[in-house]
Amino acid sequence: MASKKKNNFIRQNKIPLIIFTIAVVGGYVGIYLAFRGDGFLSAGKDLTKSDWLSFLGAYLSFVGTVAVSLIALFQSSYYTKVENERRLQEHRKKIQPIFFVNIASMNKQIEGTGEFFNPSDPSTYPKHNNIKISIENVNSYPITHVIVFDRYICPLLKCNESKSIVCAYYDTDDAKKWAKKLIVLTDDFERNEQGIPKWFNICYEDIDGQAMFQTFELKNFDGTPYYSLEGIHET
């Protein structure tokens, strides 16, 4: 892990390191050419080349000290940034809701509705095509402005609080009769052979006010349909 961080630091500061290396090599070559043989620079009054070489030695030592200090400063800044980012990601992950999504019922009579039928005539029995989904926030942090299937559900969903929604596709009798009692789904939400949505999003704002959404996909195990978390995303 430490080696990986070091490589990331070098990669992110690649250009400054290249410039510094070229400057050091170029300075060395320039000094060599300036003092090679008689050179093309005058040492100056009462000065010799050895005096300049002593000065350059001290100067290069100073430059090296400054370079090491700058590298240490850049590294400290880089690792501080990495650590802050890591803590931020941990915080963001910690405050995200954990949804317990349950298919509560399918093709049942919708609450608050009534239909007439002849008990002795099965052909008059009402037929339903809907799905009731229960959504519970089982994390320790509340969320706000919950939207499911493009419908605003509630302004606040506290921890261990659940909401139930009933959905039906636009071409079913339930959607045509009881549009005000349920969420009418369009073909934007793909359905399977049983008329169950293959996926849906739960959109919300976390306690930091960041707009997020979680995607759930329909799966099936041993004939039992259920929704599984696909991912958590920022909007």
Side-chain angles (χ1 to χ4, degrees):
M1 179 63 71
S3 176
K4 184 176 181 180
K5 288 184 177 179
K6 182 178 180 181
N7 291 337
N8 287 338
F9 169 77
I10 294 175
R11 184 164 54 250
Q12 291 188 8
N13 296 275
K14 185 176 181 180
I15 294 179
L17 289 174
I18 291 175
I19 293 175
F20 178 77
T21 301
I22 293 174
V24 170
V25 174
Y28 176 82
V29 173
I31 293 171
Y32 173 78
L33 293 176
F35 291 97
R36 182 174 179 270
D38 292 334
F40 57 86
L41 292 178
S42 172
K45 186 178 180 180
D46 298 328
L47 295 175
T48 64
K49 289 185 177 181
S50 61
D51 295 326
W52 280 106
L53 289 175
S54 297
F55 167 77
L56 287 173
Y59 178 75
L60 290 176
S61 177
F62 166 74
V63 171
T65 302
V66 171
V68 171
S69 300
L70 288 175
I71 291 175
L73 178 63
F74 290 150
Q75 281 188 321
S76 176
S77 176
Y78 169 77
Y79 289 127
T80 299
K81 181 179 179 181
V82 170
E83 178 63 17
N84 290 340
E85 182 65 24
R86 183 189 66 80
R87 291 182 179 180
L88 176 61
Q89 292 302 322
E90 286 185 354
H91 169 74
R92 294 291 301 279
K93 184 177 180 180
K94 182 179 180 180
I95 66 175
Q96 295 311 305
I98 301 174
F99 290 116
F100 171 59
V101 177
N102 180 44
I103 299 178
S105 64
M106 293 177 57
N107 305 328
K108 300 294 184 179
Q109 182 170 339
I110 302 169
E111 295 180 6
T113 66
E115 296 176 284
F116 295 100
F117 62 93
N118 185 352
S120 61
D121 185 2
S123 64
T124 64
Y125 290 177
K127 297 179 180 179
H128 300 282
N129 192 338
N130 59 65
I131 179 172
K132 182 178 182 180
I133 301 175
S134 173
I135 300 172
E136 182 178 359
N137 176 19
V138 297
N139 199 3
S140 303
Y141 298 90
I143 55 175
T144 59
H145 307 303
V146 182
I147 299 173
V148 184
F149 288 113
D150 297 333
R151 174 75 66 87
Y152 190 92
I153 303 302
C154 63
L156 175 67
L157 186 64
K158 296 179 289 187
C159 56
N160 299 320
E161 183 181 10
S162 64
K163 292 290 182 180
S164 295
I165 58 174
V166 180
C167 309
Y169 279 90
Y170 67 97
D171 54 359
T172 62
D173 290 339
D174 285 332
K176 295 174 182 178
K177 291 180 180 179
W178 314 110
K180 294 183 179 180
K181 297 288 186 179
L182 46 72
I183 299 176
V184 179
L185 304 180
T186 66
D187 289 332
D188 291 337
F189 299 96
E190 188 179 0
R191 53 184 147 175
N192 66 1
E193 295 79 5
Q194 288 75 41
I196 306 175
K198 290 186 176 181
W199 66 274
F200 69 93
N201 293 331
I202 302 178
C203 305
Y204 59 93
E205 290 184 7
D206 59 29
I207 60 173
D208 286 344
Q210 176 65 45
M212 307 286 293
F213 70 93
Q214 296 186 17
T215 300
F216 290 83
E217 292 185 348
L218 180 67
K219 295 187 178 181
N220 191 293
F221 181 79
D222 197 23
T224 301
Y226 65 94
Y227 283 103
S228 177
L229 176 65
E230 181 275 330
I232 303 175
H233 314 276
E234 294 184 11
T235 58

